[in-house]
Amino acid sequence: MEIKRPPSRDEIVIGLIGPEELLEKAEETIRAFPSFHPLSLKWEGEPHRLPDVQRLGEQAEVLLFTDPDTYRLAKQSVAFRIPAHYVPLTGTGLYRALYLAGHTGSPGKLTVDGLTEPVVAKALRELGENGMDVVCYGGQSDGNLQELIDFHRAGASADTVALTGMKAVAEALTKEGLRSEWIAPTEHDMTISLQRALLSTETRRSKEGQIVIGFINIDGFERLAARSGSEHEVQRMKLDLHRIVLDYVEHLDGYLNTLGGDEFLFMTTRGIFERETGGYKSIPLAKDLSLMHDLTLSIGIGFGRSANEAGTHARLALRRSKDAGGNITFIVREDRSVIGPLEMTEPNRFDLSLLDAELIKEAGRAGMTPAYLSRLVAYVTRFGKLDYTAQELAGVLDVTVRSTHRFLLAWQDAGLVDVIGEERGVSKGRPKQIFRLAFLQERIRS
C-alpha cells in the first residue's frame, strides 16, 4: 500500500484499489479532486492480499475499486463499514475498445461480456454500425475467468472480435491467436465514480455548505485612476468593474460586498466554489477584466470552520497574492496549507497550429499526445524555461511522477529530451535529474 504523506485535517482519505494500469489512471484523475487524499493498493484479486484490503478499509473514509471484478471479489470476503464504490464498465469504454479493434480490420461480429445488450446496441447505433452481429454473454454477471474464455472461444471466427471487461480474459484469448480487446474504464468513468464517492462521504456532506470567503483586489487601480482624463471616466470604470465581479459572483450563487473602489469581498459555499473552479484550478474572472480595461487582479480565498476563520485565511491568501506581484490567486485552507497559484488569464494550453507540423509528428511518434505537447509548449512560452525535474514536469502535465518518468524515458529514446544535470536537495536521498526539453529550444515559431 502506497502512503505518500499524512493527510491534512480537511482532506478526505480515499482508498484506491485495483490492477496497476487502472490504479495509475485513477491516481492521475484524482488530481482534479483536491479534497481527496488517496491511499493506493495494487490488487488483482489475490486471496492472500485480502487482509491488506481490509486494513485499507479501516484507514479510509471511502473506497473506490477501479473495476467491477476487484470490487466483487472484495465484497465476497470483506464486510466494509464505510462506503465502497467501483468504476463501472460503460459505453465510453466500449467506444475505446471498438476503436482499437478497428486497427486490425473492421470486425464483422462481436462477442461481448461485462456490458448488457442494450448498452452495446446503443453504442453501435451511435457509431453507425447497425448491421454488426453481436453476441453478449448470457451467464451470471460475475462469470468466472474460464466461463468467459469458453464463451468467447465458442463464438470465434475469422472476422470476430472479443470485447471483454476482464483483462485476464483478453490476454488469454490473445495468446490463443484470437482477436480481443479489453473494455477498460475511461478517465470519464473514473471522474464520475470519484464524484459519486466524494458525495457519499460524511466529511463532504458537512463541507458542501461550508462558507468560503474571498477578497478581490484590483492591481494598481489608483495609478490607473490618476491617469484617467476625468472623474466621470473613473466612475464608469468602477461601474464596469462592479458589473464584471458581480456577474462572476452570481455564477457562484454568492453574496458580494464592495469594500472600496479597488476591493471586493464575496461569500459562497465550498461545494459550489469547487465545481465552478474545476476543483480549485482556475478563476476566469480576470480574463474579462483584462480584455476590457487591461487590469489584473489579486485574489485571496479562505476556507474555515467559521466565517471568522475563513475571512482571516482569505486575507492571508490575498497578502500572499500581492507579495507575489499580483495577477494571481491563492487559497488558504482550514489548516493554513496553501493551494495555488490558480490559473487566471492565461490558459495552460497552446494552439498547436502555430507549431511546425514536423515537430508535432515527431512528438507523436515518441508517444507524446497533443494534450501533453500543448501543455509543455504553453508552459515554456509563458515562463521561458526549458529545464525541469520530473517532479516539476508532473505538475505541468498534471500526471503522477511515476507516469512522468515513463514519458521521459520514451522522449529520451526519441531524442526529444536530454539529461543535463542533477539537483541535490538539502535532505538525504538520490539527487533529482534535470531534463531539458531540447526539442522546443529552436522549433517554436514566434
Side-chain angles (χ1 to χ4, degrees):
M1 186 165 55
E2 184 179 350
I3 302 177
K4 297 178 181 177
R5 61 172 176 81
S8 62
R9 286 189 300 170
D10 63 325
E11 288 182 314
I12 300 169
V13 178
I14 180 173
L16 301 176
I17 304 173
E20 184 173 7
E21 300 92 336
L22 296 181
L23 199 60
E24 189 168 308
K25 184 179 291 186
E27 288 170 345
E28 292 181 6
T29 307
I30 207 170
R31 292 169 69 91
F33 292 79
S35 297
F36 274 141
H37 178 87
L39 301 180
S40 300
L41 175 64
K42 178 185 172 184
W43 187 62
E44 299 186 19
E46 307 95 327
H48 69 277
R49 298 289 306 281
L50 280 169
D52 293 334
V53 177
Q54 175 80 50
R55 279 193 292 272
L56 185 56
E58 295 167 356
Q59 292 179 273
E61 187 172 341
V62 62
L63 294 176
L64 180 66
F65 292 83
T66 60
D67 62 294
D69 294 304
T70 51
Y71 172 79
R72 173 179 53 82
L73 291 170
K75 290 291 284 185
Q76 288 174 353
S77 305
V78 180
F80 295 113
R81 298 180 181 178
I82 59 173
H85 304 265
Y86 65 89
V87 182
L89 297 180
T90 66
T92 55
L94 178 61
Y95 295 143
R96 174 184 174 276
L98 287 168
Y99 172 76
L100 294 173
H103 286 179
T104 55
S106 181
K109 177 183 175 182
L110 299 176
T111 56
V112 184
D113 73 64
L115 292 173
T116 62
E117 195 166 335
V119 171
V120 177
K122 179 176 181 292
L124 292 176
R125 280 198 307 272
E126 291 176 348
L127 293 172
E129 299 285 355
N130 298 318
M132 191 176 296
D133 185 16
V134 179
V135 180
C136 290
Y137 177 66
Q140 295 183 354
S141 59
D142 58 350
N144 63 42
L145 179 67
Q146 193 56 51
E147 286 177 356
L148 295 177
I149 292 173
D150 292 342
F151 159 72
H152 289 290
R153 187 187 290 137
S157 63
D159 65 344
T160 299
V161 174
L163 303 180
T164 174
M166 291 184 67
K167 184 183 179 185
V169 173
E171 291 174 342
L173 294 172
T174 301
K175 285 182 180 179
E176 295 183 16
L178 302 178
R179 292 174 65 188
S180 64
E181 291 294 341
W182 178 30
I183 308 175
T186 63
E187 184 176 337
H188 175 74
D189 296 328
M190 295 279 187
T191 299
I192 297 299
S193 299
L194 284 165
Q195 289 172 346
R196 189 171 68 247
L198 181 60
L199 292 174
S200 72
T201 63
E202 188 65 35
T203 301
R204 175 61 185 198
R205 286 195 292 269
S206 66
K207 284 185 177 180
E208 275 284 311
Q210 190 181 68
I211 290 177
V212 170
I213 291 180
F215 288 110
I216 301 172
N217 185 273
I218 313 298
D219 295 326
F221 179 79
E222 291 182 358
R223 291 194 303 273
L224 186 64
R227 293 200 304 267
S228 299
S230 67
E231 179 62 20
H232 286 162
E233 195 174 317
V234 174
Q235 294 302 320
R236 277 194 294 268
M237 183 167 57
K238 287 182 177 181
L239 288 172
D240 285 341
L241 294 175
H242 188 271
R243 179 181 58 79
I244 292 171
V245 175
L246 181 61
D247 286 345
Y248 178 69
V249 174
E250 281 186 347
H251 281 295
L252 298 175
D253 198 18
Y255 169 80
L256 178 68
N257 189 25
T258 303
L259 302 181
D262 64 345
E263 190 164 287
F264 303 86
L265 176 148
F266 71 87
M267 289 186 288
T268 184
T269 57
R270 187 161 179 170
I272 294 174
F273 183 73
E274 183 175 292
R275 287 189 290 273
E276 290 296 323
T277 57
Y280 315 141
K281 285 186 175 293
S282 64
I283 292 186
L285 168 65
K287 184 175 183 180
D288 293 337
L289 195 61
S290 176
L291 291 173
M292 183 171 291
H293 288 294
D294 195 27
L295 289 172
T296 61
L297 300 177
S298 294
I299 303 177
I301 309 294
F303 299 163
R305 297 172 184 83
S306 67
N308 178 53
E309 186 179 58
T312 300
H313 291 168
R315 185 59 71 181
L316 287 173
L318 178 63
R319 189 177 306 139
R320 182 174 182 130
S321 297
K322 299 298 284 187
D323 290 345
N327 192 26
I328 206 167
T329 298
F330 284 101
I331 299 172
V332 174
R333 300 195 289 191
E334 295 94 328
D335 60 355
R336 295 210 172 190
S337 63
V338 177
I339 301 174
L342 278 66
E343 198 66 51
M344 298 284 277
T345 58
E346 294 290 335
N348 195 22
R349 293 288 187 274
F350 185 87
D351 184 357
L352 294 183
S353 66
L354 301 176
L355 281 182
D356 189 315
E358 188 56 39
L359 173 58
I360 299 174
K361 290 180 182 178
E362 186 180 349
R365 285 192 293 267
M368 188 182 299
T369 66
Y372 290 151
L373 178 60
S374 174
R375 283 176 177 271
L376 288 175
V377 178
Y379 209 84
V380 168
T381 55
R382 185 176 178 187
F383 296 103
K385 180 181 177 182
L386 286 167
D387 303 337
Y388 302 85
T389 64
Q391 288 73 18
E392 290 172 332
L393 282 174
V396 174
L397 298 176
D398 198 21
V399 299
T400 63
V401 175
R402 181 168 57 183
S403 295
T404 304
H405 278 298
R406 192 177 68 248
F407 295 158
L408 285 168
L409 285 174
W411 300 345
Q412 282 180 265
D413 290 343
L416 302 179
V417 173
D418 298 327
V419 178
I420 62 166
E422 293 182 339
E423 178 184 274
R424 294 187 178 273
V426 294
S427 59
K428 294 181 179 179
R430 295 177 59 185
K432 299 175 182 177
Q433 288 184 309
I434 300 174
F435 300 89
R436 173 163 293 169
L437 306 180
F439 73 110
L440 294 179
Q441 196 159 7
E442 301 287 342
R443 307 290 291 274
I444 299 175
R445 294 177 182 172
S446 59

